[in-house]
Amino acid sequence: MQLAPLFPIFYRILQPSFPNCLWGGNPHTKAIALTFDDGPHPQYTPEVLAVLDRYNITASFFWLGVCVNRSPAIAKAVSDRGHWIGLHGYDHRSFPMLSLNELKGSLEKTQVAIYNACNLQPEQVRDVRPPNGLFTPATLKLFSQWNYRSVMWSVVPEDWVRPGITTVVERIMQQVKNGSLIVLHDGACGGQDVAATIQILIPQLLQQGYEFVTVDTLWQQAKTD
């Protein structure tokens, strides 16, 4: 069963319930964030970078520490281009399943991997997106105590089940609006199609007048909403 039709409903329920998370930017500004989870990947991430380079677009990447350790040169190539870097845990285990120490260790190990690959200090990498979108109020409270920022989503085309490039693009174009936070994947699940997807998607969004910004910019714009 594909969950894609349900994500907009989840969003409408969860967004007002957890206002301290970033669900999107300013609804009055035509700025959107393109984000990629589960990387870096040795093949798919360079393909994504090539498309982003072509259109001179800055995106945001939420990384798994294990993947950073496997592909440090690719991680550095992403960071060197000025893309925003966030945390997705060390190995994609759902955060509510982890003990407090396991969760803290998962995030800190990922920060260390990013520091080793990209020379970004831990305090520069404090945006966290939970794997599978699963969290509890206790999880979010811990993030706040540990000085992390919780980043969620507003447009989830479920690209990881590979419904087809055309379907993914259509789902995004139907849902996108001012301030949208779009989730795609450049990892093992869904990464096969991601470069071809954004090659079609980006020109359509540019044609509609959207500006691509980082998650950090959305945080700043959300504060001025």
Side-chain angles (χ1 to χ4, degrees):
M1 174 192 168
Q2 292 197 10
L3 296 173
L6 300 177
F7 280 109
I9 299 166
F10 295 159
Y11 168 74
R12 286 197 292 274
I13 295 168
L14 292 170
Q15 191 264 341
S17 304
F18 299 99
N20 293 329
C21 301
L22 184 71
W23 297 91
N26 189 325
H28 310 296
T29 306
K30 265 189 110 68
I32 57 177
L34 198 53
T35 71
F36 300 91
D37 289 2
D38 295 356
H41 187 278
Q43 178 183 345
Y44 309 141
T45 303
E47 293 172 353
V48 167
L49 287 180
V51 180
L52 296 175
D53 285 352
R54 194 172 304 142
Y55 292 99
N56 196 26
I57 278 168
T58 307
S60 303
F61 291 79
F62 289 84
W63 281 343
L64 298 171
V66 66
C67 294
V68 176
N69 282 335
R70 282 186 200 139
S71 303
I74 292 164
K76 188 172 189 309
V78 175
S79 176
D80 284 351
R81 284 165 167 79
H83 298 295
W84 190 251
I85 309 302
L87 307 167
H88 202 44
Y90 190 76
D91 53 10
H92 213 275
R93 284 186 295 164
S94 294
F95 288 163
M97 308 300 291
L98 302 179
S99 70
L100 184 150
N101 285 339
E102 287 173 332
L103 176 57
K104 197 166 194 285
S106 174
L107 297 173
E108 289 176 351
K109 274 168 65 179
T110 306
Q111 286 178 315
V112 168
I114 292 168
Y115 172 74
N116 289 338
C118 308
N119 204 31
L120 290 175
Q121 298 292 336
E123 57 269 22
Q124 295 176 271
V125 187
R126 60 192 186 95
D127 283 327
V128 181
R129 177 179 279 151
N132 307 310
L134 297 177
F135 63 91
T136 65
T139 312
L140 300 181
K141 191 174 179 184
L142 288 171
F143 289 166
S144 179
Q145 286 174 9
W146 297 335
N147 201 31
Y148 295 111
R149 303 190 298 190
S150 304
V151 177
M152 301 303 173
W153 35 263
S154 60
V155 179
V156 185
E158 208 183 10
D159 61 322
W160 64 90
V161 300
R162 301 188 69 195
I165 292 164
T166 304
T167 299
V168 171
V169 172
E170 284 175 354
R171 286 173 178 171
I172 295 170
M173 295 306 298
Q174 284 165 6
Q175 296 179 43
V176 72
K177 58 187 180 183
N178 291 356
S180 281
L181 218 173
I182 302 165
V183 178
L184 290 167
H185 293 76
D186 63 331
C189 297
Q192 300 91 331
D193 300 329
V194 68
T197 298
I198 62 172
Q199 176 58 52
I200 297 167
L201 178 68
I202 288 171
Q204 291 189 25
L205 291 168
L206 289 171
Q207 196 171 11
Q208 292 200 5
Y210 287 107
E211 175 195 3
F212 291 83
V213 300
T214 65
V215 160
D216 191 50
T217 301
L218 284 194
W219 275 114
Q220 295 167 29
Q221 292 180 348
K223 288 176 188 166
T224 62
D225 179 11

